[in-house]
Amino acid sequence: MPGSTKRVRRRTGGRRGKTAAIIAVAATGALVMTSCGSSGGSSTSSGAGPSGSSAKAEFNAGNKGIVNESDHAGGTVTYQLSSTPDSMDPGNTYYAFMWDFSRLYTRALTTFQPAPGQDGLKLVPDLASGLGAPSDGGRTWTYHIRPDLKYSDGTPITTADVKYAVERSNFAPEALSNGPTYFHQYLQDNTPAYQGPYKDKTGGLNSIETPDATTIVFHLNQPFADFDYLVSSPETAPVPQAKDNGSDYVKNVVASGSYMFASYQDGVGASLVKNPNWNPASDPIRKQYPDRINVQFNIAQTTVDNNLIAGNATMDLAGAGMAAATQATVLGNPQQKAHVDDAVSGALAYVAMSTNVAPLDNVHCRQAVEYAIDKQSVQTATGGPIRGEIASTILPTSVSGYTPYNAYPTTDNKGANSPDGLQKAKDQLAQCGHPDGFSTNLSARSDRPNEVAIAQAVQASLKQVGINVNIQQYPSGKYFTDNAGAPAFVHANDLGLMMMAWAPDWPTGYGFLEQILDGNAIKASGNSNLSELNDPNVNQMLAAAISNTDNAARTAAWGDIDKAAMQQAPLVPLLYRLDPLYRPDAATNVFVTPAYGMYDYLLVGTK
Amino acid sequence: MGAYVIRRTLAAILLLFVVSAITFAIFFLVPRLAGESSSQLAAQYVGRDPSPEALAAVKKNLGFDQPLYTQYWQFIHGIFAGRTFHYGPDASHCAVPCFGYSFKTHLPVWPQITQRLPVTLSLAFGAAVIWVFTGVTIGVISALKRGSIFDRLSMGIALAGVSLPIFFTALVSLSLFSYKWAIFPNLHYVPLTQDPVAWAKNLVLPWVTLAFLYSALYARLTRAGMLETMAEDYIRTARAKGLNERVVVVRHGLRAALTPIVTIFGLDLGLLLGGAVLTETAFSLPGVGQYAVQAINENDLPKIMAVTTLAAFFIVIANLLVDILYVVLDPRVRYS
Amino acid sequence: MSFLEVDDLHVTFSTEDGVVRAVDGLSFGLEQGRTLGIVGESGSGKSVTSLAVMGLHRSARVNINGRILLDGQELVGASPEAVRRLRGRRMAMIFQDPLTSLHPFYTVGRQIDEAYKVHHPKAGRHEARTRTVEMLRRVGIPQPDRRANDYPHQFSGGMRQRAMIAMALVNDPDLLIADEPTTALDVTVQAQILDLIRDLQQEFGSAVMIITHDLGVVAELADDVLVMYAGKSAETGPAESVFNRPQHPYTWGLLSSVPRMDRERQERLVPITGQPPSLIRVPEGCPFHPRCPYAKLNGTRSFDEVPKLRETGEPGHLVACHLEAEVRARVFREEVRPRL
Ligand SMILES: Nc1ncnc2c1ncn2[C@@H]1O[C@H](COP(=O)(O)OP(=O)(O)O)[C@@H](O)[C@H]1O
Ligand code: SF4
Ligand SMILES: [Mg+2]
């Protein structure tokens, strides 16, 4: 199916779909703002800022409230990044931090409310004047954009530009190949298949209608209740066709947000200044606090960290945590630790269990593993509580629909290293006909030391109940195409257990669960449903929920699906990943948004 | 001498072709010999998980389905005549000199390199000025005051300078002068044309760090060279003429001692211009070296190849200049 | 007092192995318009002496004592700057190997210009070059204005030494020291260079000190001769007197080793047996006694007592040997003369 290639990224990565890439490439990166020329006293919270309570600057303050809330304007904010983004073109990026950051210069139809805590998961209209109006049982979605919107060059923004933006980003992989292609997947295609705006210059995608300049209608090929989330992607940010030159558009992105590009240098960085044609009246969430926003790429991660600590920079753009060396020093120093927010990244680390590899094809054998794994040792192996919270559910805490429960509790989560865990695991082994245990293989990505360390902890736990695990390491580049993500390979090589990390493309139960639990999502290569769980009940629940446009009911359904799936024990949730982020003194309006699992960049300013 | 220069230049041009052919062979022939199919090869030129159409386009555009010499010819031809890749919006044109086209970023490589060249040039030349001046001065004084405290101290420091890896000295200088005392906070490259003061201020630390290593090297070289030349008969002649000591040291001693140093300097500079990989990485300078590292991390072969070719180019050119310079500097070579 | 007066000169070098007594109580004088030839085997301290006069000892280990007076001006202990001003102007020197003694990277003309200009700071480039070309012509370089722009390696050996001489004489010095000026040259060229030095000396009227291990050179040029052995003067006097009536067994040895056309090869080379002494541990008594065939003719004196220079009876002719005048005369007559 289309877009499957992109999902590989999400799977391997840390956060949001792009995560794979994000984590892999930017594991070290972070975004930093430097405050240049901070002027006189800063004003106190004036209510102009984001909603939420102002917080005292202490450890994790940015997870709960807004630190240094201020409407002080002026100065320069500097973001630093240890790598380069896949692209700053809103239609060509799959990195969570770029989705967060791009909102400064582009406006998608919807976005997440800039607020700390669970409020940050709430969708609000952005370019659109309201959330989408579903019809036809969730198959048709209609949006109206706000009146009199202008680009930074003064030309008007129309819904035709939104349609064009979706077409170029989803149907032209030959030019823009980085972003996800959900629209390609869920929108009705033309017959014959639409070739994208670069090859097909005559028409467009028929399933997107723009009856007038402020209205846009999407026709889907199936009911899809999460569509408001889908259009929060920067792929719906308007792009004027006249200014689009494919892969080169990144050099002259036309802004619709409150900032616009003053300069962009490939591989080096960019500089943003206030967009004079942005109208505050049309935009309830954006401000123009700093005079200038600089972005610098390819700054060594330790340099980024140290610049944040020294007050030389403002934010680590990647938002994926500090370098190991800096993290250790910072956490050891109470004064510096007060500047750290341990952000929930949105990713879950888990062990997938193949339902097609004996003896794990027997649910009791899988449940024995659920009981036997000592999650505390796993947590220690991966860097301690600062890097991950022990998980019992498939949905991470930051995803809409998260419902706390534990289907396989053991004392202190110590699995076979606790007496009850040991006993329960042995009971299950007896039921599956292997009272003395069995042997199987556990795959892990060889170039991810962290994952290998977790695999070793898992191996040690399982040994307690007689399950002998051989760790098989494969390079991450082909993990999903050739190894763990290729069911035939899994069967042939007896990969009963597979290490996995997963983050959603959008923070709802569907965005998280569908690719890893739905039997319809199993693929011969590039598969994310490593367990090959194909439970009619789970499949049906997923389909029903995503068709349900009743938000409350739908959200409740995700927790139910989580529980239902865990009855089958397709995977052992290990850790909800955490990324310790550093928040410099000079940065204002700083808080973690659960939507992206890092600081919300929309309102960051400098004192 | 004119004939000599022409001969050397022709040889250098020939060498450039040989080097580019070898580079080309390493990137294209070796994987082929190792049994990679043209599709596998093409996969290395595009983004993660490429679509079959993307693979086919790369295969065609890079001529993987054609014999190697045709591919090489296309590559060379592209340098002088540009290339058009039928791919993406309309067709992507890779202007002269086309040193490759990155199918991962959909951008020609050459403009990216030229954009970064000023950074590397700024770093290399700035550091070179510092290290030549300090290295030679220290070397001369050490040689003249051989065995003195100055000599022993500076040679001790020079030994440290030669043996300490640059990423270590960079780390130390960064943590002291950028983080701790923030004399040079938040280093980032500012183009000379944009703000000369900021340009220099942001480069001081990288310059000094890089120059430390080379100063040490050049101090040792200069000292050894001076000790040798100052024992030469013509130095005694210079003194016998009644020249004052400064003239003897500089005009007669240093002039002779510097000749081999100039040779080494040319090669060092040529090497650096191909990318001061460690310094640029440590100080996050967006130069050619950092580009190379990035290209390697991203496994973007056209970029890697272009940088490799460029580095080879600089070394060959540096060699040529050194050869010519040597003729200018040493009349014995000129007239024999 | 002579124009150049060297009085009880001691030059020592402190080395790891001990103190090298390279020149040990040497005294001599040289008048303007005259030529002094200093002879002695290699290592006898000739170069050290000439460098001491020129003030060219740079080693930190060198220690110079005694007096060197140039036209009455004391050079030992004078400020380096004062001696520098004299060098190249009042006293000049040419060296053994003209190739290594010229700077390979500068043209011959430029090096001579430089020698002129350093003592004529007001002279322009043009004046200096005119002078250079004139000097090159006088030393016999053909097309001197063109050859001035050549580099040393483009000159032949003899031409290089001519250029060195031109450089030395460019400031019309009162004293010219030539340290083995022909040793590195072809035999045919040697004679030309010696002729040149003699002609120029007559023309310029300066004092010349010519250093050599070759008695033939001295015979050709010198008015006076100083024979050195182990840093000391063994015998000194007018050339005519020393050559015709040599008094010192060492001089006899030197003279018998001079090749002569009228003798058979077998006979004419009678080398001095043994090796020159170490200047760190100079033999007790007469330094020459380990090699001297007549050392035993004075009982143990030659072994115990250092011989002092004393009169020989001929004017200005001195010798440092314990042999009694009659014994010396007999030995010379019966044993030495026939071999010469
Ligand atoms: N700079 C020096 N340091 C130590 N010994 C020296 C130095 N220069 C000359 N000598 C020693 O002094 C002695 C006389 O040398 P020199 O005057 O060069 O001999 P020659 O008579 O052959 O010119 C030699 O034994 C030589 O080794
Ligand atoms: S003093 Fe004695 S040893 Fe010395 S030369 Fe005269 S005879 Fe020979
Ligand atoms: Mg000598």
Side-chain angles (χ1 to χ4, degrees):
Chain A
M1 74 203 282
S4 69
T5 58
K6 311 293 154 47
R7 261 176 249 130
V8 170
R9 229 168 281 175
R10 169 179 55 204
R11 201 190 293 125
T12 53
R15 57 198 74 217
R16 263 359 44 93
K18 306 60 211 181
T19 46
I22 299 178
I23 294 201
V25 175
T28 51
L31 154 123
V32 178
M33 316 163 118
T34 23
S35 66
C36 304
S38 69
S39 55
S42 68
S43 53
T44 47
S45 146
S46 68
S51 59
S53 55
S54 200
K56 191 167 155 278
E58 60 188 14
F59 179 63
N60 273 340
N63 276 334
K64 294 167 261 177
I66 301 161
V67 182
N68 290 335
E69 186 167 7
S70 163
D71 62 358
H72 171 71
T76 300
V77 160
T78 302
Y79 289 75
Q80 294 186 328
L81 176 65
S82 69
S83 57
T84 48
D86 47 358
S87 175
M88 292 190 91
D89 180 336
N92 196 24
T93 172
Y94 208 162
Y95 283 176
F97 66 81
M98 278 313 302
W99 285 28
D100 185 356
F101 186 82
S102 67
R103 299 182 302 158
L104 286 161
Y105 55 89
T106 60
R107 295 176 68 178
L109 288 174
T110 63
T111 193
F112 295 94
Q113 176 172 309
Q118 290 305 108
D119 291 344
L121 290 174
K122 194 180 155 214
L123 276 179
V124 293
D126 190 352
L127 199 68
S129 53
L131 292 178
S135 53
D136 192 15
R139 281 190 177 81
T140 300
W141 289 79
T142 304
Y143 295 85
H144 301 282
I145 65 169
R146 298 172 199 266
D148 302 327
L149 294 169
K150 287 196 176 72
Y151 287 113
S152 49
D153 62 5
T155 56
I157 296 171
T158 69
T159 42
D161 300 341
V162 176
K163 171 175 155 77
Y164 179 74
V166 171
E167 289 169 348
R168 71 191 283 275
S169 57
N170 279 261
F171 293 85
E174 75 279 7
L176 307 172
S177 50
N178 294 327
T181 51
Y182 287 109
F183 291 100
H184 195 162
Q185 184 184 344
Y186 289 114
L187 285 167
Q188 294 171 17
D189 203 346
N190 298 352
T191 28
Y194 178 51
Q195 290 301 307
Y198 305 120
K199 286 181 183 161
D200 181 352
K201 300 208 181 265
T202 53
L205 185 67
N206 301 331
S207 54
I208 305 177
E209 292 175 323
T210 52
D212 59 53
T214 59
T215 306
I216 186 164
V217 184
F218 297 89
H219 297 283
L220 312 187
N221 52 24
Q222 66 180 85
F224 193 77
D226 270 359
F227 198 70
D228 274 341
Y229 287 95
L230 223 49
V231 300
S232 73
S233 148
E235 291 179 348
T236 70
V239 172
Q241 183 162 14
K243 296 284 171 61
D244 181 28
N245 40 4
S247 52
D248 272 355
Y249 179 68
V250 66
K251 295 176 187 162
N252 53 292
V253 171
V254 185
S256 51
S258 54
Y259 286 84
M260 61 181 193
F261 282 89
S263 67
Y264 167 79
Q265 210 188 338
D266 190 62
V268 176
S271 194
L272 305 181
V273 294
K274 290 178 179 175
N275 173 2
N277 284 303
W278 170 78
N279 178 4
S282 79
D283 195 336
I285 58 169
R286 279 180 191 71
K287 300 291 172 195
Q288 286 185 328
Y289 290 147
D291 289 334
R292 183 173 275 272
I293 299 170
N294 288 333
V295 189
Q296 296 160 4
F297 305 152
N298 288 314
I299 310 291
Q301 184 63 43
T302 48
T303 303
V304 175
D305 295 341
N306 283 305
N307 276 335
L308 291 176
I309 295 163
N312 297 337
T314 327
M315 294 244 130
D316 179 352
L317 182 59
M322 291 174 270
T326 353
Q327 180 186 316
T329 11
V330 165
L331 296 177
N333 174 337
Q335 224 174 327
Q336 290 183 354
K337 192 179 173 186
H339 289 84
V340 173
D341 295 310
D342 207 10
V344 177
S345 81
L348 176 78
Y350 64 88
V351 180
M353 292 183 274
S354 177
T355 54
N356 285 326
V357 171
L360 290 157
D361 51 351
N362 183 321
V363 68
H364 294 291
C365 278
R366 297 201 297 272
Q367 288 177 340
V369 175
E370 296 275 2
Y371 282 119
I373 291 178
D374 177 352
K375 295 181 185 177
Q376 269 203 24
S377 70
V378 167
Q379 188 186 42
T380 307
T382 191
I386 195 81
R387 278 292 181 176
E389 186 187 336
I390 289 174
S392 60
T393 62
I394 305 176
L395 288 176
T397 53
S398 60
V399 170
S400 295
Y402 163 74
T403 313
Y405 76 97
N406 190 350
Y408 305 99
T410 63
T411 306
D412 295 333
N413 296 306
K414 287 185 73 65
N417 288 323
S418 67
D420 61 323
L422 186 66
Q423 192 50 52
K424 289 176 188 166
K426 287 197 162 152
D427 291 350
Q428 294 299 331
L429 277 177
Q431 288 187 52
C432 96
H434 292 274
D436 299 325
F438 55 87
S439 289
T440 190
N441 293 307
L442 168 59
S443 68
R445 283 163 283 192
S446 52
D447 43 356
R448 298 201 179 174
N450 205 33
E451 189 164 289
V452 173
I454 295 180
Q456 285 161 349
V458 167
Q459 183 184 40
S461 308
L462 294 180
K463 188 145 191 81
Q464 305 289 317
V465 294
I467 302 177
N468 290 313
V469 169
N470 297 310
I471 298 176
Q472 306 293 330
Q473 300 191 23
Y474 304 102
S476 61
K478 295 185 171 169
Y479 195 65
F480 292 101
T481 51
D482 293 8
N483 311 125
F489 182 92
V490 171
H491 306 157
N493 290 276
D494 271 333
L495 295 183
L497 307 172
M498 291 157 276
M499 290 303 309
M500 175 74 165
W502 182 251
D505 276 357
W506 65 92
T508 73
Y510 192 80
F512 197 91
L513 299 174
E514 192 264 344
Q515 283 296 311
I516 59 172
L517 294 181
D518 192 341
N520 299 316
I522 298 170
K523 289 185 285 283
S525 167
N527 180 33
S528 301
N529 183 351
L530 301 191
S531 322
E532 294 172 67
L533 181 70
N534 193 358
D535 183 86
N537 183 34
V538 171
N539 296 352
Q540 191 276 326
M541 284 172 88
L542 280 165
I546 197 58
S547 313
N548 190 346
T549 52
D550 175 342
N551 285 338
R554 190 170 74 250
T555 302
W558 306 133
D560 296 340
I561 297 169
D562 191 334
K563 282 184 205 167
M566 280 306 283
Q567 296 304 313
Q568 304 297 318
L571 54 88
V572 187
L574 297 175
L575 299 168
Y576 309 123
R577 280 282 169 76
L578 299 173
D579 291 328
L581 308 178
Y582 196 92
R583 146 180 42 81
D585 270 329
T588 61
N589 304 320
V590 182
F591 58 91
V592 172
T593 172
Y596 299 109
M598 64 186 73
Y599 290 127
D600 189 310
Y601 299 145
L602 211 46
L603 299 167
V604 172
T606 182
K607 281 179 182 167
Chain B
M1 175 167 173
Y4 173 86
V5 171
I6 291 169
R7 216 169 52 232
R8 299 299 317 193
T9 309
L10 289 178
I13 291 171
L14 190 71
L15 187 59
L16 274 178
F17 276 101
V18 171
V19 167
S20 73
I22 292 173
T23 314
F24 196 86
I26 289 171
F27 285 109
F28 290 85
L29 182 62
V30 172
R32 219 183 240 201
L33 292 178
E36 277 203 58
S37 71
S38 56
S39 292
Q40 281 172 312
L41 250 179
Q44 298 185 37
Y45 286 80
V46 283
R48 289 166 294 258
D49 308 306
S51 63
E53 306 94 36
L55 276 184
V58 169
K59 225 155 87 177
K60 178 169 158 290
N61 279 320
L62 286 179
F64 286 147
D65 37 6
Q66 290 164 31
L68 195 73
Y69 59 84
T70 315
Q71 296 176 40
Y72 179 63
W73 166 246
Q74 285 175 348
F75 176 74
I76 295 294
H77 188 259
I79 295 176
F80 297 101
R83 283 177 92 169
T84 302
F85 295 100
H86 298 281
Y87 189 95
D90 308 321
S92 304
H93 189 66
C94 177
V96 176
C98 179
F99 276 96
Y101 184 87
S102 161
F103 294 95
K104 286 189 178 168
T105 57
H106 300 288
L107 293 169
V109 171
W110 182 246
Q112 299 183 317
I113 292 180
T114 47
Q115 222 173 30
R116 288 159 169 277
L117 215 47
V119 183
T120 300
L121 291 179
S122 301
L123 174 66
F125 281 106
V129 168
I130 297 176
W131 94 58
V132 167
F133 182 77
T134 55
V136 169
T137 308
I138 291 172
V140 168
I141 298 178
S142 273
L144 295 180
K145 312 213 158 169
R146 180 185 190 174
S148 66
I149 301 214
F150 177 91
D151 180 29
R152 281 173 214 197
L153 199 72
S154 54
M155 284 307 113
I157 295 172
L159 189 63
V162 174
S163 22
L164 288 178
I166 201 138
F167 50 81
F168 175 77
T169 43
L171 207 78
V172 171
S173 63
L174 266 178
S175 50
L176 290 183
F177 301 107
S178 189
Y179 311 144
K180 187 152 189 243
W181 295 312
I183 302 168
F184 303 105
N186 189 18
L187 294 181
H188 61 283
Y189 180 75
V190 177
L192 175 66
T193 46
Q194 185 182 315
D195 181 350
V197 177
W199 170 80
K201 193 177 174 212
N202 278 291
L203 280 169
V204 168
L205 226 43
W207 279 341
V208 172
T209 308
L210 185 59
F212 180 55
L213 168 73
Y214 283 97
S215 298
L217 223 66
Y218 279 65
R220 288 161 63 88
L221 276 175
T222 309
R223 180 177 181 274
M226 279 302 279
L227 284 178
E228 205 180 302
T229 47
M230 289 307 284
E232 293 281 357
D233 286 350
Y234 52 76
I235 295 298
R236 193 183 53 194
T237 307
R239 289 196 177 113
K241 289 197 248 186
L243 297 178
N244 74 39
E245 196 58 19
R246 208 169 40 82
V247 176
V248 173
V249 168
V250 175
R251 200 188 290 162
H252 291 253
L254 194 55
R255 169 68 177 77
L258 274 187
T259 307
I261 291 175
V262 166
T263 313
I264 295 168
F265 175 74
L267 296 180
D268 280 344
L269 199 63
L271 217 58
L272 270 188
L273 291 182
V277 174
L278 291 178
T279 315
E280 287 176 13
T281 308
F283 288 101
S284 308
L285 287 169
V288 178
Q290 193 196 54
Y291 185 74
V293 171
Q294 204 184 315
I296 290 166
N297 282 340
E298 292 164 3
N299 199 19
D300 199 340
L301 284 184
K303 288 185 186 172
I304 300 174
M305 212 175 99
V307 178
T308 313
T309 312
L310 182 79
F313 173 80
F314 276 123
I315 291 168
V316 171
I317 293 299
N319 246 314
L320 174 65
L321 290 182
V322 162
D323 280 351
I324 293 174
L325 200 62
Y326 212 93
V327 172
V328 174
L329 287 177
D330 191 339
R332 287 172 298 186
V333 180
R334 198 180 321 159
Y335 296 100
S336 54
Chain C
M1 194 169 62
S2 308
F3 176 70
L4 173 68
E5 189 79 35
V6 173
D7 187 15
D8 197 22
L9 180 68
H10 293 260
V11 182
T12 58
F13 300 97
S14 356
T15 67
E16 274 104 68
D17 302 328
V19 176
V20 179
R21 302 186 178 281
V23 177
D24 195 13
L26 189 69
S27 303
F28 64 89
L30 175 58
E31 296 299 344
Q32 272 188 304
R34 288 186 74 84
T35 299
L36 169 69
I38 301 184
V39 271
E41 287 168 302
S42 171
S44 55
K46 308 181 299 291
S47 295
V48 169
T49 305
S50 59
L51 293 176
V53 173
M54 290 293 288
L56 285 176
H57 281 295
R58 311 287 309 177
S59 164
R61 301 155 153 185
V62 75
N63 192 6
I64 304 178
N65 279 305
R67 284 153 56 87
I68 300 170
L69 296 172
L70 183 77
D71 200 9
Q73 187 180 348
E74 176 62 82
L75 301 185
V76 177
S79 80
E81 177 60 14
V83 181
R84 179 189 74 74
R85 282 173 201 284
L86 297 175
R87 269 203 302 271
R89 185 168 59 90
R90 301 216 61 191
M91 52 185 181
M93 185 161 176
I94 57 178
F95 302 96
Q96 178 172 333
D97 186 347
L99 179 61
T100 59
S101 296
L102 285 164
H103 202 294
F105 296 167
Y106 296 113
T107 61
V108 169
R110 181 163 172 196
Q111 297 187 55
I112 302 176
D113 294 348
E114 189 183 37
Y116 182 73
K117 280 197 286 191
V118 65
H119 296 296
H120 297 82
K122 295 200 189 93
R125 265 175 54 195
H126 186 72
E127 183 192 330
R129 181 46 61 100
T130 310
R131 173 78 180 159
T132 296
V133 171
E134 182 197 327
M135 289 308 299
L136 286 175
R137 192 176 45 247
R138 276 164 89 166
V139 299
I141 305 257
Q143 294 180 283
D145 48 343
R146 201 173 59 75
R147 298 309 300 262
N149 292 320
D150 281 354
Y151 289 89
H153 72 273
Q154 294 171 283
F155 273 39
S156 69
M159 292 225 296
R160 282 180 208 135
Q161 196 60 295
R162 287 171 192 267
M164 278 298 288
I165 294 170
M167 188 194 295
L169 296 183
V170 73
N171 291 313
D172 202 355
D174 304 312
L175 170 64
L176 175 68
I177 302 177
D179 188 351
E180 315 246 13
T182 58
T183 310
L185 304 177
D186 284 352
V187 185
T188 47
V189 181
Q190 284 184 2
Q192 295 171 11
I193 295 294
L194 292 178
D195 285 346
L196 177 67
I197 292 177
R198 187 178 36 231
D199 293 350
L200 290 170
Q201 199 238 8
Q202 274 157 20
E203 187 178 335
F204 285 80
S206 46
V208 173
M209 194 167 125
I210 187 147
I211 291 170
T212 179
H213 62 269
D214 181 351
L215 278 176
V217 171
V218 179
E220 195 146 329
L221 287 184
D223 301 312
D224 301 292
V225 180
L226 170 66
V227 181
M228 276 187 82
Y229 189 79
K232 291 184 171 65
S233 170
E235 179 169 6
T236 174
E240 187 273 332
S241 177
V242 172
F243 277 108
N244 292 325
R245 292 168 296 281
Q247 301 290 320
H248 197 283
Y250 177 58
T251 316
W252 296 342
L254 287 179
L255 284 170
S256 1
S257 22
V258 175
R260 284 186 47 174
M261 291 306 179
D262 55 343
R263 307 259 169 154
E264 283 304 310
R265 199 167 187 272
Q266 280 309 83
E267 286 176 278
R268 69 186 187 223
L269 290 177
V270 183
I272 304 166
T273 54
Q275 292 296 310
S278 150
L279 294 182
I280 295 174
R281 270 169 296 278
V282 187
E284 300 268 308
C286 173
F288 187 57
H289 81 250
R291 306 168 75 190
C292 181
Y294 318 108
K296 298 212 175 76
L297 295 183
N298 315 282
T300 62
R301 259 187 104 190
S302 293
F303 302 86
D304 305 334
E305 192 185 325
V306 182
K308 292 207 176 63
L309 275 179
R310 54 191 172 113
E311 302 286 341
T312 59
E314 301 206 29
H317 192 165
L318 308 174
V319 67
C321 174
H322 293 306
L323 286 180
E324 295 303 328
E326 314 80 68
V327 180
R328 182 182 296 119
R330 180 177 51 79
V331 171
F332 180 67
R333 197 175 52 246
E334 294 174 3
E335 299 186 25
V336 181
R337 180 80 91 13
R339 291 205 316 258
L340 293 181

